[in-house]
Amino acid sequence: MTRLGILISGRGSNFEAIADNVASGAIPAEIAVVLSNRAAAPGLDAARRRGLPAVCIPSKGLDREVYDRMVVEELRRRGVDLVCLAGFMRLLSAAFIRAFPNRILNIHPSLLPAFPGLDAQRQALEHGVRLAGCTVHFVDENLDSGPILIQTAVPVLDADTVETLSARILEQEHRIYSEALRIVIAGNYRIEGRRVVFKEAVSHQPSAIG
Ligand code: GRF
């Protein structure tokens, strides 16, 4: 069974959506650890309430290489074989990425490569785009880069605020992260350069995922 390591820094709603789908059997995996670089992350409490292993490794004041080594050690100790960044607000070092080749996923609240980095929803609103959305991608050493697995678009409405647009995108984040995990766990894809090619037709409207 695939063992997930979920890395968070805050609220943890993407983690919770994944945890719901793991609990229902829709994602054939187990959550080996939820790890935060911030002790105050509400997602850590949510993990504890669910009876899942929740670990804080504070990143403050540590060199990226030193910190990442500690995290990789913890993930290895827990037998993690697929890493999910879910609102983990740090760039990963080359050594971290080498430790889990093509086994680290991230979710970003924009249609990449548009609007990488912080405040993606605000960037989209201020740019005036008519379509916003979210992306699940493999992680490489650059920010919000790496081969794209799934994207979903949502409309931007004239009355939108950052909050209403973020909420519309978040609903889709919760759906596509689980769908991406099902694809990766099933192994029904190959990576060709920047492109992720599915071996069989993959539905983007899965029935099993809530
Ligand atoms: C999400 O919008 C995710 O796309 C971004 O950070 C946010 C995390 O939210 N990377 P949550 O902690 O999963 O609720």
Side-chain angles (χ1 to χ4, degrees):
M1 183 86 102
T2 299
R3 291 177 64 77
L4 304 176
I6 303 185
L7 272 51
I8 64 170
S9 297
R11 180 177 57 184
S13 72
N14 276 288
F15 145 62
E16 292 219 70
I18 292 167
D20 285 345
N21 283 318
V22 167
S24 76
I27 299 175
E30 52 201 336
I31 297 178
V33 67
V34 177
L35 190 153
S36 172
N37 66 318
R38 293 189 191 144
L44 274 182
D45 286 332
R48 291 189 189 106
R49 278 197 301 275
R50 288 168 179 266
L52 295 169
V55 173
C56 177
I57 304 183
S59 52
K60 218 170 173 186
L62 293 179
D63 275 356
R64 188 176 310 285
E65 276 66 30
V66 174
Y67 181 73
D68 282 9
R69 209 174 305 133
M70 292 164 71
V71 172
V72 167
E73 267 172 31
E74 181 67 27
L75 296 174
R76 291 236 187 278
R77 201 163 29 239
R78 304 266 178 181
V80 167
D81 48 32
L82 185 54
V83 179
C84 306
L85 309 186
F88 187 62
M89 304 301 283
R90 293 179 57 82
L91 260 182
L92 305 192
S93 62
F96 193 148
I97 289 157
R98 274 198 306 272
F100 293 94
N102 292 332
R103 299 297 284 177
I104 309 175
L105 304 180
N106 182 43
I107 184 143
H108 184 72
S110 80
L111 293 173
L112 289 171
F115 314 127
L118 290 177
D119 287 330
Q121 303 93 330
R122 179 183 301 280
Q123 292 185 55
L125 203 55
E126 287 176 355
H127 196 91
V129 292
R130 293 292 183 190
L131 287 174
C134 47
T135 304
V136 179
H137 63 93
F138 289 100
V139 172
D140 65 16
E141 283 164 54
N142 301 311
L143 181 66
D144 299 324
S145 176
I148 290 170
L149 258 161
I150 299 192
Q151 296 187 297
T152 289
V154 303
V156 180
L157 308 179
D158 288 345
D160 265 336
T161 61
V162 174
E163 288 70 32
T164 58
L165 178 59
S166 299
R168 192 174 308 119
I169 294 171
L170 192 64
E171 211 181 308
Q172 296 305 316
E173 293 185 38
H174 293 166
R175 188 176 64 77
I176 67 168
Y177 213 162
S178 290
E179 181 58 11
L181 282 169
R182 281 160 55 93
I183 293 167
V184 172
I185 290 165
N188 285 333
Y189 66 95
R190 59 181 188 276
I191 301 175
E192 291 178 358
R194 281 207 48 86
R195 301 187 68 207
V196 179
V197 180
F198 296 133
K199 289 183 188 159
E200 296 156 22
V202 171
S203 164
H204 284 227
Q205 299 293 334
S207 52
I209 299 287

